[in-house]
Amino acid sequence: MNLKDHLLAQIALNGPMSVADFMTECLLNPKFGYYTTRDPLGAQGDFTTAPEISQMFGEMIGLALAQSWMDQDKPDRFILAELGPGRGTLMADILRATSSVSGFHEAAEIVLFEASPALRDRQAQSLSGHNPRWIDMLTDLPDAPLLLVANEFFDALPVRQFIRDGDSWCERLIGAQGESLTYGLGPNTAQVALTDRMIDTQDGDLVELCAAAIPILTVIAGRIATYGGAGLIVDYGDWHSLGDTFQALQSHERVDPLQAPGRADLTAHVDFEPLAIAARAAGCAHTKLTPQGMFLERLGITARAQALAAPLGGSELETLIAAHRRLTHPEEMGNLFKVLGLYPSYAAPPPGLEP
């Protein structure tokens, strides 16, 4: 049996499933799930994240977090955490960039939130010598100031999709037609969580809801509000979700999400507005949503690129220039990816971001 057969059997038994349940099965099924069975990153994988493009990304993130630590009087113990750390590349770059910040490493306890056994093994290799530890639930974060980064984490959380039908909504579901997976619609029902979307939508508009994001954000924001620290959430998306952003990537190319369950990465654009609302509800301040390119430029990525470029030539220099462009240019990752910063109401926002 493969994952498609498993899904078809589930649908035959229980009826059509939500997009959220489909994503959860495809990504995290213990036997067939995409994240539980492979390392999906890099040239040989299905997608590449900013830390894999260039060390400059992690260096800027690290120095921003270190500045927040200094701005909050250098607590002698804090949690340096990452959600969905991939291969551990971002955390390794953060630690290298902050190695000269006096007292930072001595005070840091590295905690990683990762569901994939395959990626945990890669993270252990990347961070050998730094003694990271892994948690299965965010409520296991120790009671201490929290410096946290989540890069391309929230986009992989499962979303439900709803299509407006008059004053109600029909949920987009995934069912079966013979041996094929197909989209369909559930019954017309009211959706309390979408009451506010009656204002800005019309009949036929599709809206995505990521219920899983709110409890995660609430825990993070609550820790920062209570103990201090800062959080940086970096992902593709925008302030207010509208339209179908559910997508699959396989070998760096977009594919039909229903054609290769368990063999392609599934994501959806992040709606940052509910995250900000959840942060405020937890007593935590948040920054303006800022394009990644602007954030990195404010932190000095161009000066860092120039320093790295000085001894280079030929293809190495071309690679560095291309990496800088990809991270910052508006037509590449610079505008598509956004940054939301979290911080205590009594403190300064993380560098590169505005209140």
Side-chain angles (χ1 to χ4, degrees):
M1 177 180 280
N2 56 31
L3 183 57
K4 183 179 179 182
D5 293 335
H6 171 73
L7 293 170
L8 289 170
Q10 274 198 329
I11 291 167
L13 183 64
N14 302 315
M17 62 176 58
S18 68
V19 173
D21 288 342
F22 177 78
M23 286 184 72
T24 300
E25 283 290 332
C26 289
L27 297 178
L28 297 176
N29 180 281
K31 187 174 180 180
F32 304 114
Y34 180 78
Y35 289 140
T36 53
T37 58
R38 75 197 70 206
D39 175 358
L41 293 160
Q44 303 305 313
D46 294 310
F47 61 92
T48 300
T49 61
E52 303 292 333
I53 293 169
S54 171
Q55 69 185 64
M56 295 183 290
F57 180 81
E59 290 170 348
M60 297 299 105
I61 294 287
L63 294 176
L65 293 176
Q67 185 63 55
S68 287
W69 174 72
M70 291 186 285
D71 289 344
Q72 295 180 41
D73 299 324
K74 301 181 180 180
D76 58 11
R77 176 180 179 249
F78 71 91
I79 308 306
L80 180 58
E82 185 177 357
L83 308 186
R87 292 174 168 173
T89 305
L90 174 55
M91 184 58 74
D93 290 340
I94 288 171
L95 291 167
R96 188 186 62 258
T98 56
S99 61
S100 60
V101 179
S102 179
F104 188 79
H105 283 199
E106 291 78 6
E109 180 181 336
I110 301 166
V111 176
L112 306 175
F113 183 62
E114 176 60 66
S116 166
L119 288 176
R120 283 191 180 195
D121 289 342
R122 290 299 301 266
Q123 292 154 20
Q125 296 171 25
S126 298
L127 299 170
S128 60
H130 291 289
N131 299 314
R133 72 181 182 90
W134 289 263
I135 56 173
D136 296 314
M137 300 177 63
L138 280 179
T139 50
D140 293 333
L141 282 168
D143 295 341
L146 174 65
L147 294 178
L148 177 139
V149 61
N151 179 64
E152 292 199 54
F153 171 81
F154 283 91
D155 66 82
L157 296 180
V159 297
R160 294 172 71 186
Q161 294 186 320
F162 295 91
I163 296 174
R164 183 169 170 180
D165 181 16
D167 292 333
S168 300
W169 301 84
C170 297
E171 183 164 11
R172 194 184 195 196
L173 302 174
I174 294 171
Q177 190 169 25
E179 295 300 308
S180 299
L181 297 166
T182 60
Y183 291 112
L185 292 178
N188 181 309
T189 58
Q191 295 290 335
V192 174
L194 293 174
T195 301
D196 65 323
R197 300 310 304 270
M198 289 294 178
I199 300 169
D200 69 324
T201 57
Q202 305 175 33
D203 271 11
D205 281 350
L206 186 149
V207 173
E208 294 170 339
L209 277 183
C210 184
I214 303 308
I216 292 172
L217 201 286
T218 299
V219 171
I220 296 166
R223 296 301 173 101
I224 292 171
T226 302
Y227 301 106
L232 294 173
I233 300 169
V234 188
D235 228 312
Y236 52 89
D238 220 321
W239 185 251
H240 205 59
S241 116
L242 182 63
D244 180 10
T245 71
F246 180 45
Q247 65 180 22
L249 279 179
Q250 189 173 36
S251 300
H252 300 267
E253 300 288 339
R254 286 198 180 192
V255 296
D256 182 342
L258 304 189
Q259 291 306 305
R263 292 184 283 119
D265 183 42
L266 301 180
T267 63
H269 285 206
V270 175
D271 185 350
F272 284 92
E273 184 180 22
L275 303 185
I277 292 170
R280 292 197 297 269
C284 188
H286 67 82
T287 64
K288 291 180 181 178
L289 192 62
T290 303
Q292 174 179 291
M294 181 183 297
F295 171 68
L296 294 174
E297 291 292 3
R298 287 172 175 172
L299 293 175
I301 192 171
T302 294
R304 178 57 176 154
Q306 290 168 343
L308 290 172
L312 302 180
S315 62
E316 289 182 328
L317 179 58
E318 290 175 3
T319 298
L320 178 68
I321 293 170
H324 176 269
R325 176 184 170 86
R326 187 165 181 193
L327 291 173
T328 61
H329 197 276
E331 293 182 3
E332 302 222 18
M333 297 175 75
N335 275 355
L336 176 63
F337 282 72
K338 309 294 194 306
V339 185
L340 182 71
L342 309 176
Y343 61 104
S345 57
Y346 57 80
L353 301 170
E354 303 171 54

